[in-house]
Amino acid sequence: MFRHQTIRLLLAFMILLTQPACWSSKEIEDLSVYTGLALDKGEPKTVEREFEELGGSYLKHNKLTATVQIVPENVIGNSGKEGETPKTHFHNISESGDSLLEVFRQISIRKNRPIIGHHLKVVVISEKLIQEEKIRRLMDFLLRDNDIRPSCLIFLSQGRASDTLNTTAEEVPSFRLEDMVHNHFRTSKVMKGITLSDLDALMYSKQSFVLQNVIEANGEVEFSGAGIIKGDTGHWIGNLNQQDVESIAWIKGDVKGGSIKTYNQSNEAITYEIKSVKSKITLKETEDKKFSFHVAIESDGRLIENWDDNEHSSDSAYFKELEKLFEERLTEKINSLIHKMKSTYKVDVAGFGEWFSIKRPQAWKQNKDHWDEKFIAMPLTFDVKLKITDFGSTTE
């Protein structure tokens, strides 16, 4: 009996020894968790320059300024009285240099707690910085660091990136940016979020791509179009507007919601609400090995708004007339995008290269290193069909 009890105790002890545990765990109260990171052209803040004048300098080139958004920062605006809420729920701190790791370590000598990136939600990069520095260099540390999750979202900023993390909204700005991406199902002006792992694949492929632009004004932020990153150089080369971002989604068939607004013969606004979208890209090849693309787009939707009260919205002939107007407007938007891709920027950012690589893998191997040049020489045609299925809850 005693022997059996001894064996049970030994087995229980051995099982306890094999259980996983956080041997190196640290209390979150002892850390400064940062949820947002902004990267700008190197322009040291006033406090940095003052520190350097007092002897707080080290060997570096000010190629970039990194701003981290730390939460929670309970001491900010808190008088220490019991039950009083802090005025802000975050704290931004900036440091300049030419190595992100060194910048983060430099922040540690200005903070009473080490910063940790396990909960990094968004990274915003300014266009001015990415004009001078390759995006691969800027992302190198983030891709190597095990603390940073590959699911964090990447954005571009037309102004200073740090301004997008310093809004007047009650929410933490980095959380707000992350949540705004979820509105993709409402409007195709909002791109599907590009994560750090997505960006790694895009950079590795050396194909041109777009990142959602964030703009800031009077303490508010808005998604406004997208910035183009040239695949072979890794630099920002220009912007697409909001309707161009919508057109890319139509070509890819990645429209979850939104609308098309145009004007009728009386110059009154009419609006088509999107219910469904299908897009089919066809790759055609001639006998002399020349390729062309054809895109067929179909959509069902409803006439959701009509400012012309003299027309009968429920009339089928009127529906056909409006369908043609909406088709013309969508075609106009897509043609504008294609002109920018083929003539202005000379890049493919609408996914034609991805489609080509699937359909013609052998030909893709021969052309992938100079795909942009190959793409702009390819003929590209469109066929757009929109169908109004109903006119909402009108009483007509």
Side-chain angles (χ1 to χ4, degrees):
M1 183 72 177
F2 176 76
R3 182 181 178 186
H4 288 297
Q5 288 179 342
T6 304
I7 291 172
R8 289 193 189 100
L9 286 172
L10 286 172
L11 286 172
F13 181 71
M14 291 175 66
I15 289 171
L16 285 172
L17 286 176
T18 59
Q19 295 306 299
C22 296
W23 299 102
S24 60
S25 66
K26 295 179 181 179
E27 296 296 329
I28 194 167
E29 291 83 2
D30 298 329
L31 301 169
S32 288
V33 177
Y34 67 93
T35 58
L37 172 63
L39 300 177
D40 285 297
K41 187 177 176 182
E43 296 176 358
K45 303 286 186 180
T46 302
V47 66
E48 292 181 69
R49 293 196 296 268
E50 291 179 357
F51 280 147
E52 290 179 1
E53 289 174 3
L54 294 171
S57 60
Y58 62 96
L59 180 62
K60 63 173 179 174
H61 300 289
N62 290 323
K63 290 188 174 183
L64 61 86
T65 296
T67 302
V68 295
Q69 183 157 93
I70 298 169
V71 294
E73 188 73 15
N74 295 326
V75 297
I76 300 299
N78 193 343
S79 63
K81 294 179 182 179
E82 188 176 351
E84 187 170 314
T85 13
K87 291 180 182 176
T88 58
H89 304 286
F90 63 92
H91 172 57
N92 294 349
I93 184 169
S94 301
E95 187 73 30
S96 302
D98 51 8
S99 162
L100 265 182
L101 176 60
E102 190 173 36
V103 163
F104 287 174
R105 295 298 183 262
Q106 194 71 9
I107 290 174
S108 296
I109 67 176
R110 294 173 56 184
K111 297 288 297 177
N112 62 334
R113 298 183 180 97
I115 61 172
I116 187 168
H118 290 157
H119 297 281
L120 180 62
K121 303 296 184 184
V122 298
V123 178
V124 186
I125 313 169
S126 75
E127 292 173 357
K128 286 185 178 180
L129 176 61
I130 215 165
Q131 280 180 275
E132 297 185 1
E133 303 294 339
K134 293 182 178 180
I135 192 169
R136 185 80 203 189
R137 292 177 180 176
L138 299 173
M139 295 293 101
D140 189 66
F141 166 71
L142 301 181
L143 289 166
R144 294 173 186 266
D145 188 10
N146 290 329
D147 281 355
I148 296 172
R149 295 178 180 177
S151 58
C152 70
L153 298 171
I154 313 296
F155 301 103
L156 292 182
S157 171
Q158 289 183 261
R160 285 195 64 80
S162 58
D163 290 342
T164 66
L165 298 183
N166 194 26
T167 64
T168 57
E170 292 183 3
E171 312 103 303
V172 175
S174 49
F175 291 169
R176 180 186 176 92
L177 282 175
E178 181 190 36
D179 290 341
M180 285 169 63
V181 172
H182 299 157
N183 288 329
H184 175 66
F185 84 101
R186 281 294 188 185
T187 171
S188 47
K189 293 178 182 179
V190 176
M191 293 173 55
K192 288 175 65 177
I194 302 296
T195 65
L196 185 60
S197 59
D198 293 332
L199 181 62
D200 188 26
L202 289 168
M203 293 187 299
Y204 179 78
S205 71
K206 295 185 179 180
Q207 303 305 304
S208 299
F209 58 93
V210 291
L211 292 173
Q212 184 91 66
N213 260 334
V214 185
I215 55 177
E216 182 274 339
N218 298 319
E220 295 289 336
V221 293
E222 177 181 285
F223 289 153
S224 183
I228 302 172
I229 308 298
K230 189 78 165 68
D232 56 358
T233 66
H235 289 292
W236 173 89
I237 61 169
N239 284 323
L240 298 177
N241 61 29
Q242 294 181 26
Q243 77 170 26
D244 296 326
V245 170
E246 286 184 296
S247 297
I248 291 174
W250 279 94
I251 291 171
K252 291 183 174 182
D254 186 30
V255 178
K256 304 301 180 186
S259 61
I260 300 174
K261 185 199 72 177
T262 189
Y263 299 91
N264 63 10
Q265 301 298 329
S266 303
N267 201 32
E268 297 290 352
I270 51 175
T271 307
Y272 172 92
E273 184 182 23
I274 301 162
K275 292 168 63 177
S276 66
V277 171
K278 292 181 181 179
S279 176
K280 182 179 180 181
I281 301 176
T282 304
L283 180 64
K284 299 179 179 180
E285 182 179 1
T286 62
E287 293 181 359
D288 54 351
K289 301 295 181 181
K290 291 184 178 180
F291 297 97
S292 64
F293 286 105
H294 178 74
V295 183
I297 297 173
E298 295 182 1
S299 172
D300 288 345
R302 61 172 58 93
L303 178 63
I304 198 63
E305 193 172 8
N306 185 357
W307 281 51
D308 191 346
D309 53 9
N310 294 320
E311 295 289 349
H312 299 287
S313 300
S314 58
D315 184 72
S316 58
Y318 184 58
F319 269 21
K320 295 297 181 184
E321 180 184 333
L322 295 188
E323 285 172 354
K324 184 177 180 181
L325 290 175
F326 289 128
E327 289 171 357
E328 289 174 352
R329 175 59 183 145
L330 179 56
T331 301
E332 178 185 327
K333 290 163 66 173
I334 292 175
N335 284 335
S336 175
L337 168 69
I338 298 304
H339 176 77
K340 290 178 183 178
M341 289 199 301
K342 287 201 164 195
S343 301
T344 306
Y345 300 115
K346 296 180 171 56
V347 293
D348 167 29
V349 291
F352 289 101
E354 181 181 354
W355 187 258
F356 189 88
S357 68
I358 294 170
K359 293 299 181 180
R360 295 290 190 275
Q362 294 302 320
W364 171 251
K365 289 179 182 179
Q366 299 172 5
N367 293 290
K368 65 178 182 178
D369 291 334
H370 51 276
W371 171 249
D372 285 338
E373 291 79 3
K374 183 75 175 179
F375 168 74
I376 62 175
M378 287 184 177
L380 184 58
T381 55
F382 287 88
D383 182 26
V384 176
K385 299 290 183 185
L386 303 184
K387 183 179 181 182
I388 298 175
T389 58
D390 63 87
F391 44 90
S393 301
T394 181
T395 55
E396 289 185 359

